[in-house]
Amino acid sequence: MQVTSQAKTFAKVTANRQKHHIGQIIKTSLFGRIVDGKIIEVHPFGTVDIELSGGQCYRVSGISLSA
């Protein structure tokens, strides 16, 4: 249990440090096509909420914001 709790805490801290990416436009794959989306929220474990130009919002995981 201790390791899982530490991993969750580390993921939350990392996500909070990446909040400065909110508002940035990223290219990502969504339903098999590449789209441009504006980051509207950063969550733990490489998950972000993005908004497309048409106003649709999606939660996408597997995003690396480091680099």
Side-chain angles (χ1 to χ4, degrees):
M1 263 322 191
Q2 183 75 9
V3 174
T4 304
S5 176
Q6 288 177 346
K8 286 181 182 178
T9 301
F10 178 76
K12 287 179 184 178
V13 168
T14 302
N16 284 336
R17 287 184 182 159
Q18 294 177 338
K19 296 284 185 183
H20 67 275
H21 290 287
I22 293 175
Q24 289 184 342
I25 305 295
I26 61 169
K27 285 189 182 292
T28 188
S29 177
L30 188 64
F31 302 117
R33 61 188 174 99
I34 301 297
V35 297
D36 289 329
K38 180 173 70 171
I39 297 175
I40 56 176
E41 186 60 58
V42 179
H43 301 282
F45 302 108
T47 303
V48 297
D49 293 342
I50 62 170
E51 180 179 10
L52 304 184
S53 60
Q56 306 95 332
C57 296
Y58 296 94
R59 182 163 288 170
V60 184
S61 57
I63 303 293
S64 175
L65 296 175
S66 352

Coordinates of all heavy atoms in Angstrom, one line a residue:
M1 N 0.8 -1.2 0.0 CA 0.0 0.0 0.0 C 0.9 1.3 0.0 O 0.5 2.2 -0.6 CB -0.9 0.0 1.2 CG -2.3 -0.5 1.1 SD -3.1 -0.1 -0.4 CE -4.7 -0.6 0.2
Q2 N 1.9 1.2 0.8 CA 2.8 2.4 0.9 C 3.3 2.8 -0.5 O 3.4 4.0 -0.8 CB 3.9 2.1 1.9 CG 4.9 3.3 2.1 CD 4.2 4.3 3.0 OE1 3.2 4.1 3.6 NE2 4.9 5.4 3.2
V3 N 3.8 1.9 -1.3 CA 4.4 2.2 -2.6 C 3.3 2.9 -3.5 O 3.6 3.9 -4.2 CB 5.0 1.0 -3.2 CG1 5.5 1.3 -4.6 CG2 6.2 0.5 -2.4
T4 N 2.1 2.3 -3.5 CA 1.1 2.9 -4.3 C 0.7 4.3 -3.9 O 0.6 5.2 -4.7 CB -0.2 2.0 -4.2 OG1 0.2 0.6 -4.6 CG2 -1.3 2.5 -5.1
S5 N 0.7 4.5 -2.6 CA 0.4 5.9 -2.1 C 1.5 6.8 -2.5 O 1.2 8.0 -2.9 CB 0.2 5.8 -0.6 OG 0.0 7.1 -0.1
Q6 N 2.7 6.4 -2.4 CA 3.8 7.3 -2.8 C 3.8 7.6 -4.3 O 4.1 8.7 -4.7 CB 5.2 6.6 -2.4 CG 5.4 6.7 -0.9 CD 6.7 5.9 -0.6 OE1 7.3 5.2 -1.4 NE2 7.1 6.1 0.7
A7 N 3.5 6.6 -5.1 CA 3.4 6.8 -6.6 C 2.3 7.8 -6.9 O 2.5 8.6 -7.8 CB 3.1 5.4 -7.3
K8 N 1.1 7.7 -6.3 CA 0.1 8.6 -6.5 C 0.4 10.0 -6.1 O 0.2 11.0 -6.8 CB -1.2 8.2 -5.8 CG -1.9 7.0 -6.3 CD -3.2 6.7 -5.6 CE -3.8 5.4 -6.1 NZ -5.0 5.1 -5.3
T9 N 1.1 10.1 -5.0 CA 1.5 11.5 -4.5 C 2.5 12.1 -5.5 O 2.4 13.2 -5.8 CB 2.1 11.4 -3.1 OG1 1.2 10.8 -2.2 CG2 2.6 12.7 -2.6
F10 N 3.5 11.3 -5.9 CA 4.5 11.7 -6.9 C 3.8 12.2 -8.2 O 4.2 13.2 -8.7 CB 5.5 10.6 -7.2 CG 6.5 11.0 -8.2 CD1 7.6 11.9 -7.8 CD2 6.5 10.6 -9.5 CE1 8.5 12.3 -8.7 CE2 7.4 11.0 -10.4 CZ 8.5 11.8 -10.0
A11 N 2.8 11.4 -8.7 CA 2.1 11.8 -9.9 C 1.4 13.1 -9.7 O 1.4 13.9 -10.7 CB 1.2 10.6 -10.3
K12 N 0.7 13.3 -8.6 CA 0.0 14.5 -8.4 C 0.9 15.7 -8.3 O 0.6 16.8 -8.9 CB -0.8 14.4 -7.1 CG -2.0 13.5 -7.1 CD -2.7 13.5 -5.8 CE -3.9 12.5 -5.8 NZ -4.5 12.4 -4.6
V13 N 2.1 15.6 -7.7 CA 3.1 16.7 -7.6 C 3.6 17.0 -9.0 O 3.7 18.2 -9.4 CB 4.2 16.3 -6.6 CG1 5.4 17.3 -6.7 CG2 3.7 16.2 -5.2
T14 N 3.9 16.0 -9.7 CA 4.4 16.2 -11.1 C 3.3 16.9 -12.0 O 3.7 17.8 -12.7 CB 4.8 14.8 -11.8 OG1 5.8 14.2 -10.9 CG2 5.3 15.0 -13.2
A15 N 2.1 16.5 -11.8 CA 1.0 17.1 -12.6 C 0.9 18.6 -12.2 O 0.7 19.5 -13.1 CB -0.3 16.4 -12.4
N16 N 1.0 18.9 -10.9 CA 0.9 20.3 -10.5 C 2.0 21.1 -11.0 O 1.9 22.3 -11.3 CB 0.9 20.4 -8.9 CG -0.5 20.0 -8.4 OD1 -1.5 20.1 -9.1 ND2 -0.5 19.5 -7.2
R17 N 3.2 20.5 -11.1 CA 4.4 21.2 -11.7 C 4.2 21.5 -13.2 O 4.8 22.4 -13.7 CB 5.6 20.5 -11.5 CG 6.1 20.5 -10.1 CD 7.4 19.8 -9.9 NE 7.8 19.7 -8.5 CZ 8.7 18.9 -8.0 NH1 9.2 18.0 -8.8 NH2 9.0 18.9 -6.8
Q18 N 3.3 20.7 -13.9 CA 3.1 20.9 -15.3 C 1.9 21.8 -15.6 O 1.6 21.9 -16.8 CB 3.0 19.5 -15.9 CG 4.3 18.7 -15.8 CD 4.1 17.3 -16.4 OE1 3.1 16.8 -16.5 NE2 5.3 16.7 -16.8
K19 N 1.4 22.4 -14.7 CA 0.2 23.3 -14.9 C 0.5 24.4 -15.8 O -0.3 25.0 -16.5 CB -0.4 23.8 -13.6 CG -0.9 22.8 -12.7 CD -2.3 22.3 -13.1 CE -2.9 21.3 -12.1 NZ -4.1 20.8 -12.5
H20 N 1.8 24.8 -15.9 CA 2.2 25.9 -16.8 C 2.0 25.6 -18.3 O 2.0 26.5 -19.1 CB 3.7 26.3 -16.5 CG 4.7 25.3 -17.0 ND1 5.0 24.3 -16.1 CD2 5.4 25.1 -18.1 CE1 5.9 23.5 -16.8 NE2 6.1 24.0 -18.0
H21 N 1.7 24.3 -18.6 CA 1.4 24.0 -20.0 C 0.0 24.3 -20.4 O -0.4 24.2 -21.6 CB 1.6 22.5 -20.2 CG 3.1 22.1 -20.1 ND1 4.0 22.4 -21.2 CD2 3.8 21.4 -19.2 CE1 5.2 21.9 -20.8 NE2 5.1 21.3 -19.6
I22 N -0.9 24.6 -19.4 CA -2.3 25.0 -19.7 C -2.3 26.2 -20.6 O -1.6 27.2 -20.4 CB -3.1 25.3 -18.4 CG1 -3.2 24.0 -17.6 CG2 -4.4 25.9 -18.7 CD1 -3.8 24.2 -16.2
G23 N -3.1 26.0 -21.7 CA -3.2 27.1 -22.7 C -2.3 26.8 -24.0 O -2.5 27.4 -25.0
Q24 N -1.4 25.9 -23.9 CA -0.5 25.5 -25.0 C -1.3 24.7 -26.0 O -2.1 23.9 -25.6 CB 0.8 24.8 -24.6 CG 1.7 25.7 -23.8 CD 3.0 24.9 -23.5 OE1 3.0 23.6 -23.5 NE2 4.1 25.6 -23.2
I25 N -0.9 24.8 -27.3 CA -1.5 24.0 -28.3 C -0.6 22.8 -28.6 O 0.6 23.0 -28.7 CB -1.7 24.8 -29.6 CG1 -2.5 26.1 -29.4 CG2 -2.3 23.9 -30.7 CD1 -3.9 25.8 -29.0
I26 N -1.2 21.6 -28.6 CA -0.4 20.4 -28.8 C -1.0 19.6 -30.0 O -2.2 19.8 -30.2 CB -0.3 19.5 -27.6 CG1 -1.6 19.0 -27.1 CG2 0.5 20.1 -26.5 CD1 -1.6 17.9 -26.1
K27 N -0.2 18.8 -30.7 CA -0.7 17.9 -31.7 C -0.7 16.5 -31.0 O 0.2 16.1 -30.4 CB 0.3 17.9 -32.9 CG 0.2 19.1 -33.8 CD 1.0 18.8 -35.0 CE 1.0 20.0 -35.9 NZ -0.3 20.3 -36.5
T28 N -1.8 15.9 -31.2 CA -2.0 14.5 -30.6 C -2.9 13.7 -31.5 O -3.7 14.2 -32.3 CB -2.5 14.6 -29.2 OG1 -2.5 13.3 -28.6 CG2 -3.9 15.1 -29.1
S29 N -2.9 12.4 -31.3 CA -3.7 11.5 -32.0 C -5.1 11.3 -31.3 O -5.1 11.1 -30.1 CB -3.1 10.1 -32.2 OG -3.9 9.2 -32.8
L30 N -6.2 11.5 -32.0 CA -7.5 11.4 -31.4 C -8.4 10.6 -32.4 O -8.6 11.1 -33.5 CB -8.1 12.8 -31.1 CG -9.3 12.8 -30.3 CD1 -9.1 12.3 -28.9 CD2 -9.8 14.3 -30.3
F31 N -8.8 9.4 -32.0 CA -9.6 8.5 -32.8 C -8.9 8.3 -34.2 O -9.6 8.3 -35.2 CB -11.0 9.1 -33.0 CG -11.7 9.3 -31.7 CD1 -12.1 10.6 -31.3 CD2 -12.0 8.2 -30.8 CE1 -12.8 10.8 -30.1 CE2 -12.7 8.4 -29.7 CZ -13.1 9.7 -29.3
G32 N -7.6 8.1 -34.2 CA -6.9 7.8 -35.4 C -6.5 8.9 -36.3 O -6.0 8.7 -37.4
R33 N -6.8 10.1 -35.8 CA -6.4 11.3 -36.7 C -5.6 12.3 -35.8 O -5.8 12.3 -34.6 CB -7.6 12.0 -37.3 CG -8.6 12.5 -36.3 CD -9.8 13.0 -37.0 NE -10.8 13.4 -36.0 CZ -11.0 14.7 -35.7 NH1 -10.4 15.7 -36.2 NH2 -11.9 14.9 -34.7
I34 N -4.7 13.0 -36.4 CA -3.9 14.0 -35.7 C -4.7 15.3 -35.6 O -5.2 15.8 -36.6 CB -2.5 14.2 -36.4 CG1 -1.7 12.9 -36.5 CG2 -1.7 15.3 -35.7 CD1 -1.4 12.3 -35.2
V35 N -4.8 15.8 -34.4 CA -5.5 17.0 -34.2 C -4.7 18.0 -33.4 O -3.7 17.6 -32.7 CB -6.8 16.8 -33.4 CG1 -7.8 15.9 -34.2 CG2 -6.6 16.2 -32.1
D36 N -5.0 19.3 -33.5 CA -4.4 20.3 -32.6 C -5.4 20.6 -31.5 O -6.6 20.8 -31.8 CB -4.2 21.6 -33.4 CG -3.0 21.5 -34.4 OD1 -2.1 20.7 -34.1 OD2 -3.1 22.2 -35.5
G37 N -4.9 20.6 -30.3 CA -5.8 20.9 -29.2 C -5.1 21.7 -28.1 O -3.9 21.6 -27.9
K38 N -5.9 22.6 -27.5 CA -5.4 23.5 -26.5 C -5.6 22.7 -25.1 O -6.6 22.2 -24.8 CB -6.2 24.8 -26.4 CG -5.7 25.7 -25.3 CD -6.3 27.1 -25.4 CE -7.8 27.0 -25.1 NZ -8.4 28.3 -24.9
I39 N -4.5 22.7 -24.4 CA -4.5 22.0 -23.0 C -5.3 22.9 -22.1 O -5.1 24.1 -21.9 CB -3.1 21.8 -22.5 CG1 -2.3 20.9 -23.4 CG2 -3.1 21.3 -21.0 CD1 -0.8 20.8 -23.0
I40 N -6.4 22.3 -21.5 CA -7.2 23.1 -20.6 C -7.0 22.6 -19.1 O -7.4 23.3 -18.2 CB -8.7 23.1 -21.0 CG1 -9.2 21.7 -21.1 CG2 -8.9 23.9 -22.2 CD1 -10.7 21.6 -21.5
E41 N -6.4 21.4 -18.9 CA -6.2 20.9 -17.6 C -5.1 19.7 -17.7 O -5.1 19.0 -18.7 CB -7.4 20.3 -16.9 CG -7.3 19.9 -15.5 CD -6.8 21.0 -14.6 OE1 -7.5 22.1 -14.5 OE2 -5.8 20.9 -13.9
V42 N -4.3 19.7 -16.7 CA -3.3 18.6 -16.6 C -3.6 17.7 -15.4 O -3.9 18.2 -14.3 CB -1.9 19.2 -16.4 CG1 -0.8 18.1 -16.3 CG2 -1.5 20.2 -17.5
H43 N -3.6 16.4 -15.6 CA -3.9 15.4 -14.6 C -2.7 14.5 -14.4 O -1.8 14.5 -15.2 CB -5.1 14.6 -15.0 CG -6.4 15.4 -15.2 ND1 -7.2 15.8 -14.2 CD2 -7.0 15.8 -16.4 CE1 -8.2 16.5 -14.7 NE2 -8.1 16.5 -16.0
P44 N -2.7 13.8 -13.3 CA -1.6 12.8 -13.1 C -1.5 11.7 -14.1 O -2.5 11.4 -14.8 CB -1.9 12.2 -11.7 CG -2.8 13.2 -11.0 CD -3.6 13.8 -12.1
F45 N -0.3 11.1 -14.2 CA -0.1 10.0 -15.1 C -0.2 10.3 -16.6 O -0.7 9.4 -17.3 CB -1.0 8.8 -14.7 CG -0.8 8.3 -13.3 CD1 -1.8 8.6 -12.3 CD2 0.4 7.7 -12.8 CE1 -1.6 8.2 -11.0 CE2 0.6 7.3 -11.5 CZ -0.4 7.6 -10.6
G46 N 0.2 11.4 -17.0 CA 0.2 11.8 -18.4 C -1.1 12.0 -19.1 O -1.3 11.7 -20.3
T47 N -2.1 12.4 -18.3 CA -3.4 12.7 -18.8 C -3.7 14.2 -18.8 O -3.4 14.9 -17.9 CB -4.5 11.9 -17.9 OG1 -4.1 10.6 -17.9 CG2 -5.9 12.1 -18.5
V48 N -4.2 14.6 -20.0 CA -4.6 16.0 -20.1 C -6.0 16.2 -20.7 O -6.4 15.3 -21.4 CB -3.6 16.8 -21.0 CG1 -2.2 16.8 -20.4 CG2 -3.5 16.3 -22.4
D49 N -6.6 17.3 -20.4 CA -7.9 17.6 -21.1 C -7.5 18.6 -22.2 O -6.8 19.6 -21.9 CB -8.9 18.3 -20.1 CG -9.3 17.3 -19.0 OD1 -9.2 16.1 -19.2 OD2 -9.9 17.7 -18.0
I50 N -8.0 18.4 -23.4 CA -7.8 19.3 -24.5 C -9.1 19.8 -25.1 O -10.1 19.1 -25.0 CB -6.9 18.7 -25.6 CG1 -7.6 17.5 -26.2 CG2 -5.5 18.3 -25.1 CD1 -6.9 17.0 -27.5
E51 N -9.0 21.0 -25.7 CA -10.2 21.5 -26.3 C -9.8 21.7 -27.8 O -8.8 22.4 -28.1 CB -10.6 22.8 -25.7 CG -11.8 23.5 -26.4 CD -12.2 24.8 -25.7 OE1 -11.5 25.3 -24.9 OE2 -13.3 25.3 -26.1
L52 N -10.6 21.2 -28.7 CA -10.3 21.4 -30.1 C -10.9 22.7 -30.6 O -11.7 23.4 -29.9 CB -11.0 20.3 -30.9 CG -10.6 18.8 -30.5 CD1 -11.2 17.8 -31.5 CD2 -9.1 18.7 -30.5
S53 N -10.6 23.2 -31.8 CA -11.0 24.5 -32.3 C -12.5 24.6 -32.4 O -13.1 25.6 -32.3 CB -10.3 24.8 -33.6 OG -10.7 23.8 -34.6
G54 N -13.2 23.4 -32.6 CA -14.6 23.4 -32.7 C -15.4 23.5 -31.3 O -16.6 23.5 -31.3
G55 N -14.6 23.5 -30.2 CA -15.2 23.5 -28.9 C -15.3 22.2 -28.2 O -15.7 22.1 -27.1
Q56 N -15.1 21.1 -28.9 CA -15.2 19.8 -28.3 C -14.0 19.6 -27.4 O -12.9 20.0 -27.7 CB -15.2 18.6 -29.4 CG -16.2 18.8 -30.5 CD -15.6 19.4 -31.7 OE1 -14.6 20.2 -31.6 NE2 -16.1 19.1 -32.8
C57 N -14.3 18.9 -26.2 CA -13.3 18.7 -25.2 C -13.1 17.2 -25.0 O -14.1 16.4 -25.1 CB -13.7 19.3 -23.9 SG -13.8 21.1 -23.9
Y58 N -11.8 16.8 -24.9 CA -11.5 15.4 -24.7 C -10.4 15.2 -23.7 O -9.6 16.1 -23.4 CB -11.0 14.8 -26.0 CG -12.0 14.8 -27.2 CD1 -12.0 15.9 -28.1 CD2 -12.9 13.8 -27.3 CE1 -12.9 15.9 -29.1 CE2 -13.8 13.8 -28.3 CZ -13.8 14.8 -29.2 OH -14.7 14.9 -30.2
R59 N -10.4 14.1 -23.0 CA -9.4 13.7 -22.0 C -8.5 12.7 -22.7 O -9.0 11.6 -23.2 CB -10.0 13.1 -20.8 CG -8.9 12.7 -19.7 CD -9.5 12.6 -18.4 NE -9.9 13.9 -17.9 CZ -10.7 14.0 -16.8 NH1 -11.1 13.0 -16.1 NH2 -11.0 15.3 -16.4
V60 N -7.2 13.0 -22.8 CA -6.3 12.2 -23.6 C -5.2 11.7 -22.6 O -4.7 12.5 -21.8 CB -5.6 13.0 -24.7 CG1 -4.7 12.1 -25.5 CG2 -6.7 13.6 -25.6
S61 N -4.8 10.5 -22.7 CA -3.8 10.0 -21.8 C -2.6 9.5 -22.6 O -2.7 9.3 -23.8 CB -4.3 8.8 -20.9 OG -4.8 7.8 -21.7
G62 N -1.5 9.4 -21.9 CA -0.2 9.0 -22.6 C 0.5 10.2 -23.2 O 1.4 10.0 -24.0
I63 N 0.3 11.4 -22.7 CA 0.9 12.6 -23.1 C 2.1 12.9 -22.3 O 2.1 12.9 -21.1 CB 0.0 13.8 -23.1 CG1 -1.3 13.5 -23.8 CG2 0.6 15.1 -23.5 CD1 -1.2 13.4 -25.3
S64 N 3.3 13.1 -22.9 CA 4.5 13.5 -22.2 C 4.7 15.0 -22.4 O 4.9 15.5 -23.5 CB 5.7 12.7 -22.8 OG 6.9 13.2 -22.1
L65 N 4.6 15.8 -21.3 CA 4.8 17.2 -21.4 C 6.2 17.6 -21.0 O 6.5 18.8 -21.1 CB 3.8 17.9 -20.4 CG 2.3 17.7 -20.7 CD1 1.5 18.3 -19.7 CD2 2.0 18.3 -22.1
S66 N 7.1 16.7 -20.7 CA 8.5 17.1 -20.4 C 9.2 17.2 -21.7 O 8.9 16.5 -22.7 CB 9.2 16.0 -19.6 OG 8.4 15.0 -19.1
A67 N 10.1 18.1 -21.8 CA 11.0 18.3 -22.9 C 10.8 19.7 -23.5 O 9.9 20.4 -23.4 CB 10.9 17.3 -24.0

